[in-house]
Amino acid sequence: MAGNWKMYKTPADTHAFFEAFKPLVADAKNVDIVLCPPFADLHAAITETANSGIAVGAQNLYWGKEGAVTGEVSGHMLQAIGCQYVIIAHSERRQYFGESEPDVVRKIEAALEYGLTPIVCVGERLEEREEGRTEEVLATMFDGGLAPLAAEQFAKVVIAYEPVWAIGTGKTATPEIAEAAHRFIRGKVAEKFGADAAAAVRILYGGSVKPDNVTKLMSEEDIDGALVGGASLDPKSFAAIVNF
Ligand code: PEP
């Protein structure tokens, strides 16, 4: 269960969040919990989560170890401060920052080089779904962003299916719609990397996941977890999702 705070919260807010959140998930079992705050809050989040079993991730990284790349942060730096995960290719980054499939591959490789688990987002926009092109879009993203990886690299990747029309809109995909997309993605993994890789890969659903819809989504066979935006900002609601 991963939370994406996007561009919300200060370090003081981050301390307050974890003070409230940690006791609420202290008994959570059989679940990996990840919070991905903005870069400015990573230090606070990592300090707060020490020895708690809660992992911290970034929301983006740049490939390369260091260099003249003003405004960017490398996997090397994220590893050095104690990050364990990084979100790659969130639809907001694809839309506002023009991230392309070759960028996605470079970022995944950079994450893996520095021991970070990439959470790689794929998903169709509303017009693409309405035109009946969902599988075509998912296939293009898979073929361009994930299929070029070596099998050993792919084995360390988490995929997040996030239909863009469901992000921040309150319109959750029905469990059936989400399951169909997850099954399609798992099928692509099986074609490229084999049945064992397809069975092992974790595919998270993201798009208006809330405490009241998580249980139904999670009951689908191919939905292995959730990537949660808005509802991860509140300790009680994210804890309710973790503890579903
Ligand atoms: C997200 O940003 O990854 C997301 C799924 O947002 P929300 O849960 O707010 O729809």
Side-chain angles (χ1 to χ4, degrees):
M1 292 298 189
N4 170 17
W5 283 358
K6 310 193 184 193
M7 197 172 70
Y8 291 99
K9 294 196 191 289
T10 62
D13 299 333
T14 302
H15 286 294
F17 174 93
F18 282 106
E19 251 176 53
F21 180 69
K22 282 186 291 187
L24 300 175
V25 296
D27 297 328
K29 295 206 175 58
N30 304 319
V31 57
D32 292 330
I33 309 171
V34 186
L35 262 304
C36 300
F39 288 127
D41 300 330
L42 286 173
H43 178 71
I46 288 161
T47 306
E48 281 290 343
T49 54
N51 305 316
S52 69
I54 301 168
V56 173
Q59 298 172 17
N60 182 31
L61 86 173
Y62 190 81
W63 53 85
K65 183 179 177 191
E66 56 190 11
V69 196
T70 302
E72 293 294 327
V73 175
S74 72
H76 171 62
M77 293 163 181
L78 295 175
Q79 180 188 46
I81 63 164
C83 272
Q84 297 179 54
Y85 288 79
V86 60
I87 298 172
I88 292 176
H90 190 278
S91 64
E92 287 152 16
R93 298 217 51 92
R94 291 180 187 266
Q95 184 180 349
Y96 305 134
F97 301 97
E99 287 190 10
S100 64
E101 302 316 328
D103 293 340
V104 175
V105 178
R106 281 191 279 263
K107 289 186 178 202
I108 294 171
E109 288 179 336
L112 295 174
E113 187 175 344
Y114 295 104
L116 303 165
T117 298
I119 302 174
V120 182
C121 303
V122 297
E124 80 285 0
R125 290 179 285 125
L126 181 60
E127 60 271 28
E128 292 166 336
R129 172 159 287 272
E130 286 175 346
E131 289 162 8
R133 295 176 48 224
T134 297
E135 292 191 354
E136 179 198 325
V137 170
L138 294 177
T140 301
M141 289 178 172
F142 181 86
D143 293 343
L146 291 161
L149 299 173
E152 324 72 87
Q153 292 177 311
F154 181 79
K156 296 179 183 147
V157 168
V158 174
I159 300 175
Y161 168 62
E162 298 211 311
V164 180
W165 47 272
I167 296 178
T169 59
K171 287 187 202 163
T172 324
T174 62
E176 296 74 24
I177 287 177
E179 170 62 17
H182 281 231
R183 198 178 322 119
F184 177 77
I185 294 165
R186 207 178 292 283
K188 292 289 294 175
V189 175
E191 264 171 42
K192 171 68 194 173
F193 295 107
D196 288 352
V201 67
R202 286 192 275 185
I203 308 178
L204 315 183
Y205 168 77
S208 299
V209 175
K210 309 272 181 254
D212 62 4
N213 60 25
V214 65
T215 305
K216 278 207 166 138
L217 287 161
M218 289 300 295
S219 69
E220 296 291 342
E221 191 179 338
D222 289 293
I223 301 182
D224 304 315
L227 178 54
V228 184
S232 73
L233 293 168
D234 175 66
K236 280 198 194 120
S237 71
F238 191 50
I241 289 170
V242 167
N243 292 324
F244 80 96

